[in-house]
Amino acid sequence: MLTMDVFKQDAFSAISLTEAVRRSQTIPGLLGTLGLFTPKPVRTRTVAVEVKGNTLNIIQTSEPGAPRTRRANNKGDIRDLRVRRIEEASTITAEQLQGIRAFGSETELKTLQKEVAERQQDIIDDLSTTKERLYLSCIDGVLRDADDTVIYDYYQTFGFSQPAEIDFNWSARTGCKKFVANNVKRPILRALGGVAPAGMRIMALCGDDFFDDLQENGEYRDTYKNTEKASKLLEDTAFESVEAWGVTWVNYRGTDDNSKVAIGVDKVKFIPVGVRNLFQEAFAPAPTFGFVNTLGQEWYSRIVVDKDREEWADVEIESHRLPICTRPEALLQGNK
């Protein structure tokens, strides 16, 4: 007979459940698979980010023996950012457990473990979608919550103005190579300065109409006409990528409603890929005695039982995290 005491098994301890979540498969959002965000486990709720100017100065020539030019010291400025919690729970009731019976070689405990694992996976799917949405707003430089309220505007936090949207006007655009170089590549490289590595590439995450209109552009089509690659103009590229003018253009696929996690159909977001620590993500520990003062993990899972009536148990998963863009001035957006 199953009782609430079954949840005292080691298989249902917070540590065991957390390990199980770390091993489970999650919904693979594109931004989560690119490795853009460097994980930064911390032991506190607050993350200190040092802002230190690195202005390059042109030095006036001088005669030997003249007073030397003194470089001003760069004084660091500290910004304190607080991690945010995302969480969800699923309730298993005693009435639902009533139907669990041992059968074949499967024990009651294993059946209950399977039920808990299924609840965990459902929650992880929701939380992974939420994580992708946070990432999608962070690459704008403005971290937003589920209701679109601003969590952190990193332009304001680090003292920059957000660049204006680039108007591509694909239907009439000519001189595309020069236009992309002057309005996308060079501004990003200049904003990054010396931190841009040699192997850096620029990725453009495109809404549906933007992606389609790009491929209908006259110059784009002319690069394939009368070549052995002309058949590419007839290929279906929905939710795929194309290379053009030194940029990887990706038709971003969000949630199926093209709303909860999505890029506007006529919009594009540019991100430099391969820049060390451009994007970081702080992880704080769960606020429980078992994890106090430990380095934060990406996910925590536990079971909370009804100690008064023994009628229910909550399967909970939470994450204490904060995606950060350290150089928002290098992020650009555009429209078709």
Side-chain angles (χ1 to χ4, degrees):
M1 179 180 70
L2 279 175
T3 68
M4 297 301 285
D5 287 338
V6 74
F7 292 111
K8 296 179 181 179
Q9 299 275 346
D10 182 66
F12 300 120
S13 70
I15 293 176
S16 296
L17 291 168
T18 296
E19 286 299 314
V21 168
R22 290 175 63 182
R23 292 192 300 268
S24 67
Q25 298 296 313
T26 61
I27 293 179
L30 174 62
L31 292 173
T33 64
L34 292 177
L36 292 174
F37 289 82
T38 303
K40 298 288 183 180
V42 297
R43 301 179 190 273
T44 60
R45 292 279 169 270
T46 302
V47 183
V49 179
E50 184 179 21
V51 181
K52 194 170 184 180
N54 190 23
T55 304
L56 299 178
N57 299 313
I58 304 299
I59 301 173
Q60 179 71 26
T61 61
S62 59
E63 296 293 334
R68 295 183 179 275
T69 303
R70 300 290 179 183
R71 181 178 176 87
N73 292 328
N74 289 327
K75 296 182 179 180
D77 189 10
I78 302 297
R79 303 284 195 275
D80 286 336
L81 306 174
R82 192 167 179 83
V83 298
R84 310 289 288 196
R85 183 187 73 170
I86 58 174
E87 52 74 33
E88 194 172 57
S90 179
T91 301
I92 300 175
T93 66
E95 188 64 26
Q96 291 168 336
L97 297 183
Q98 186 71 29
I100 294 180
R101 292 291 184 269
F103 62 94
S105 62
E106 203 169 17
T107 66
E108 291 179 333
L109 179 59
K110 287 185 178 180
T111 305
L112 181 56
Q113 285 178 307
K114 183 178 179 182
E115 177 70 19
V116 170
E118 289 176 353
R119 300 295 182 100
Q120 283 184 317
Q121 189 58 60
D122 289 342
I123 297 172
I124 278 290
D125 289 349
D126 288 346
L127 296 184
S128 296
T129 304
T130 303
K131 179 181 75 171
E132 180 76 0
R133 192 179 193 280
L134 287 171
Y135 286 173
L136 195 60
S137 65
C138 191
I139 65 169
D140 287 344
V142 182
L143 189 66
R144 295 183 180 276
D145 217 328
D147 61 357
D148 281 335
T149 56
V150 174
I151 299 174
Y152 283 113
D153 183 332
Y154 290 125
Y155 293 100
Q156 292 183 2
T157 300
F158 299 129
F160 293 98
S161 297
Q162 186 170 8
E165 275 196 353
I166 306 165
D167 184 7
F168 282 86
N169 190 21
W170 287 123
S171 61
R173 175 64 58 201
T174 58
C176 294
K177 179 181 177 180
K178 183 176 181 180
F179 182 84
V180 171
N182 286 339
N183 290 275
V184 178
K185 297 194 69 175
R186 289 188 176 107
I188 289 177
L189 288 168
R190 284 171 176 149
L192 290 173
V195 303
M200 187 196 84
R201 62 192 178 99
I202 295 175
M203 179 176 290
L205 304 183
C206 310
D208 296 349
D209 290 351
F210 185 99
F211 187 72
D212 294 343
D213 286 2
L214 178 157
Q215 295 175 81
E216 293 299 322
N217 173 265
E219 285 193 9
Y220 178 88
R221 297 181 66 82
D222 286 344
T223 61
Y224 290 102
K225 288 179 179 178
N226 301 318
T227 72
E228 67 277 8
K229 295 183 179 180
S231 61
K232 288 183 67 69
L233 297 175
L234 301 177
E235 291 180 0
D236 178 12
T237 57
F239 298 132
E240 295 186 6
S241 64
V242 297
E243 300 285 340
W245 311 299
V247 174
T248 302
W249 309 83
V250 180
N251 185 194
Y252 182 80
R253 184 173 187 175
T255 49
D256 289 339
D257 63 4
N258 205 26
S259 174
K260 292 185 181 70
V261 180
I263 291 176
V265 293
D266 60 346
K267 303 292 185 180
V268 64
K269 303 176 188 290
F270 295 95
I271 47 176
V273 179
V275 181
R276 184 172 178 268
N277 288 329
L278 172 60
F279 298 102
Q280 301 181 31
E281 187 167 28
F283 295 108
T288 62
F289 287 113
F291 295 105
V292 68
N293 290 330
T294 62
L295 288 174
Q297 301 181 37
E298 183 172 9
W299 303 109
Y300 291 93
S301 182
R302 63 187 172 194
I303 290 180
V304 178
V305 299
D306 174 13
K307 296 179 180 178
D308 296 325
R309 295 179 299 277
E310 297 190 347
E311 292 181 357
W312 52 263
D314 275 347
V315 179
E316 297 182 346
I317 300 180
E318 63 187 69
S319 181
H320 300 261
R321 65 202 305 147
L322 182 68
I324 304 169
C325 176
T326 61
R327 302 186 74 111
E329 70 274 27
L331 306 179
L332 299 176
Q333 301 178 56
N335 59 72
K336 69 169 189 170

